[in-house]
Amino acid sequence: MWLLVVLVGLGVWAAGTYWYLFGRRSPFSVECVRAPGPRELDQKKRDRVIKQGFSLDKVPKDLDVIVIGSGIGGLTVAATLAKAGRKVLVLEQHDQAGGCCHTYIEKGFEFDVGLHYIGQLHENSLLRIAFDQITEGQLEFQELDQHFDTIQIGLGEDKRQYTVFSGKTEMEAHLKKQFPHDTAAIQKFFKIMKVSARKTHYLASLKLIPQWASLFLLKTGLAQLMSPIFQLSGTCATDLVNTLTSNKDLHVIFSYLFYGVPPKDSSIVINALLIHHYKRGAYYPKGGAKPRGTCLVRAPVTQVLVNQRGEAYGVRVRKGQEDQEVYAPVVISNCGIFTTFQKLLPPQIQSKPDIQERLGMMKHGRGSLLVFSGFEGTHEELGLVSTNFWLFKNNDMDRSMEEFFALGKDEAPENIPMMFITMPSVKDPEAKIRHPGKSCMTILTMVKYEWFEEWSDTTVRKRGEQYHQYKMRFANKLFDWACTIFPRIRDKLVFQDVATPLTNMHYLGAQRGAMYSAEHNLERFQAEAVARNRCNTPVKNLYITAHRLHRPDLTGKKLQ
């Protein structure tokens, strides 16, 4: 009898799920994708769209959804819901929409602040289809050179340089040419890449089915029998690559796309997926799509409104010296789990055990420091290229990162172990039109929030001379290192901005200036943790978007 009840219940659930997913007319269709329209190059006209200031009279009536934060997660969910016929309002605390993925212009130079390059956009790829559907075909991409990344290990005469090529077969073949004694190790790693890419949707499915069902499959071992991805996701990257080869340079290649976590604390699946992401090419966005719905900036949300039944029903927004309330039956937060749970929820809700349990599953991510440099001269004159550069002082990422983050505040600037260089003005073919005769470069490295904490109570652009001198110690070291690759840029530097974890805190509201929000460590990608960490929250009608891992660095205008 009970078996019959269970089978009937599962049948009803399956039928309901099928109807919900496929039984209704989809807002997505081939017909909605149209040829890209002419791009608006007039910055004032662009600003009218991306810099609409908040006021209550601009808030649409009878909202269905409020989205907090206009980063890529917030804009994606907002655009999707708008296509599905929902009335959506996006609220952004900064003075420009886009979150980590916008560009900013200063002194005639335009810098990307997060989306340095993106993969998986070849024709008919799932990601390309998603972008085309969400933007109705209005977002265009420029494919970068096949040689999209260079990895440099060591300094001076001990320097070794390796190149990474895109291509379905070329990527693996090109690495084997550079490591002829480790072809078997490369072949095994690429098999892991293939498994990770083809079976990651199994991990995602843990979030789509009822949580009790996910935990049942994992705890009984049934999930592990279905696919090796459930074990691989919780496998330490360092431990696995040590079984493949003793070549430490190749170890770096397998983990060079750093995101604040050393290989010994990262999942082999995540590291493999990051490399696989560019296997079919690297791309750079040419321009933005016109948003549907309403996005209002200069709208810092100070609290999610929660009624006595524990249900979210709107938000409180700071306007000048006053708070104003905006109501909707659903609230979606794109500002990270720590900000959402620790800052936006009422105190009596924050202290609840189920909220604290979710927070306990996460750690704060590392902060970042970026140097934005502008040069007079074309990229041809300066010797700049579209290829990204990843520089490491030695080939032991685990040790160098551990030693660096153990340093005190005064020692850190002179001992930076790694950095990333990108040149957005070379990647975008329209940069020559918008900013003729100018070139720009962004340099990134990871830093500790504690090194900048003494200035946390100061105001942006008014942090004082000591703060400026301290961040410039980092900037000068990074810029000098970049000049060893591009020597012509030194004499052509006319503008430089430096962003620290405090910049992230001011412009993104990111706690401790964490560049990638919560840390993407090994524990987080254990299959059970994946099953438990969902978009729904203990507060009914309050949801959170995915915690980022798409290389969003920060956002800012005048960075201090």
Side-chain angles (χ1 to χ4, degrees), residues 33-254:
V33 179
R34 62 191 190 280
R39 211 154 15 256
E40 181 57 70
L41 300 180
D42 187 322
Q43 192 59 43
K44 290 182 179 179
K45 292 181 180 179
R46 290 162 64 97
D47 287 348
R48 292 192 197 115
V49 176
I50 62 177
K51 294 188 176 184
Q52 296 184 71
F54 169 82
S55 62
L56 280 179
D57 62 313
K58 295 180 183 177
V59 175
K61 306 270 186 206
D62 302 320
L63 283 172
D64 294 309
V65 182
I66 294 171
V67 178
I68 308 171
S70 67
I72 193 169
L75 290 181
T76 298
V77 71
T80 303
L81 289 169
K83 283 180 67 69
R86 301 297 189 269
K87 193 176 288 187
V88 186
L89 171 66
V90 181
L91 296 172
E92 168 60 48
Q93 66 151 4
H94 188 27
D95 66 1
Q96 178 173 329
C100 295
C101 292
H102 82 268
T103 61
Y104 85 99
I105 299 174
E106 193 71 38
K107 307 295 184 184
F109 297 97
E110 184 172 9
F111 299 98
D112 62 7
V113 293
L115 193 59
H116 305 308
Y117 56 148
I118 188 169
Q120 297 288 308
L121 290 176
H122 53 282
E123 190 173 355
N124 292 327
S125 71
L126 182 60
L127 188 57
R128 184 59 175 265
I129 293 170
F131 270 125
D132 285 345
Q133 287 292 322
I134 291 170
T135 69
E136 299 187 348
Q138 299 308 292
L139 184 56
E140 292 185 90
F141 293 92
Q142 173 72 27
E143 185 170 7
L144 303 183
D145 292 341
Q146 186 178 30
H147 171 202
F148 66 94
D149 274 347
T150 292
I151 300 147
Q152 189 181 99
I153 303 172
L155 301 172
E157 295 181 357
D158 191 38
K159 183 168 56 181
R160 287 93 64 201
Q161 188 162 288
Y162 305 99
T163 55
V164 184
F165 280 23
S166 61
K168 192 173 182 179
T169 59
E170 291 89 338
M171 178 180 276
E172 181 178 351
H174 186 67
L175 277 180
K176 286 180 177 178
K177 287 181 181 178
Q178 296 174 91
F179 295 91
H181 302 298
D182 289 284
T183 56
I186 293 170
Q187 192 168 335
K188 290 177 182 177
F189 184 81
F190 271 71
K191 285 183 179 178
I192 294 171
M193 284 172 52
K194 183 179 291 187
V195 170
S196 300
R198 291 185 175 180
K199 304 300 182 183
T200 300
H201 65 280
Y202 286 174
L203 279 175
S205 68
L206 295 176
K207 299 176 181 291
L208 299 177
I209 63 177
Q211 185 169 299
W212 65 264
S214 297
L215 297 178
F216 173 79
L217 291 172
L218 293 170
K219 290 183 180 295
T220 59
L222 292 174
Q224 290 81 353
L225 291 175
M226 291 169 56
S227 172
I229 192 68
F230 297 104
Q231 182 176 351
L232 275 175
S233 67
T235 299
C236 166
T238 294
D239 289 348
L240 192 140
V241 299
N242 279 338
T243 68
L244 302 181
T245 177
S246 59
N247 188 325
K248 300 290 285 184
D249 280 10
L250 191 52
H251 287 183
V252 173
I253 305 300
F254 291 155

Side-chain angles (χ1 to χ4, degrees), residues 385-442:
V385 293
S386 65
T387 304
N388 308 288
F389 282 74
W390 300 81
L391 278 58
F392 301 86
K393 283 192 174 177
N394 60 62
N395 61 9
D396 191 335
M397 288 181 67
D398 285 329
R399 181 172 59 84
S400 61
M401 291 182 75
E402 183 177 7
E403 290 177 352
F404 179 58
F405 290 118
L407 293 175
K409 168 179 171 288
D410 291 333
E411 303 169 286
E414 281 71 42
N415 292 280
I416 302 168
M418 59 184 67
M419 74 173 186
F420 166 72
I421 305 174
T422 178
M423 289 141 283
S425 58
V426 189
K427 296 177 182 178
D428 187 353
E430 296 180 357
K432 289 182 177 181
I433 302 172
R434 297 196 308 273
H435 311 287
K438 296 181 182 294
S439 299
C440 59
M441 172 186 289
T442 301

Side-chain angles (χ1 to χ4, degrees), residues 303-327:
Q303 191 175 90
V304 173
L305 301 174
V306 181
N307 62 26
Q308 292 182 345
R309 297 187 300 275
E311 302 168 337
Y313 66 94
V315 298
R316 189 168 288 138
V317 183
R318 176 63 53 87
K319 176 70 173 176
Q321 300 301 315
E322 298 180 353
D323 282 345
Q324 299 177 345
E325 295 185 351
V326 182
Y327 307 108

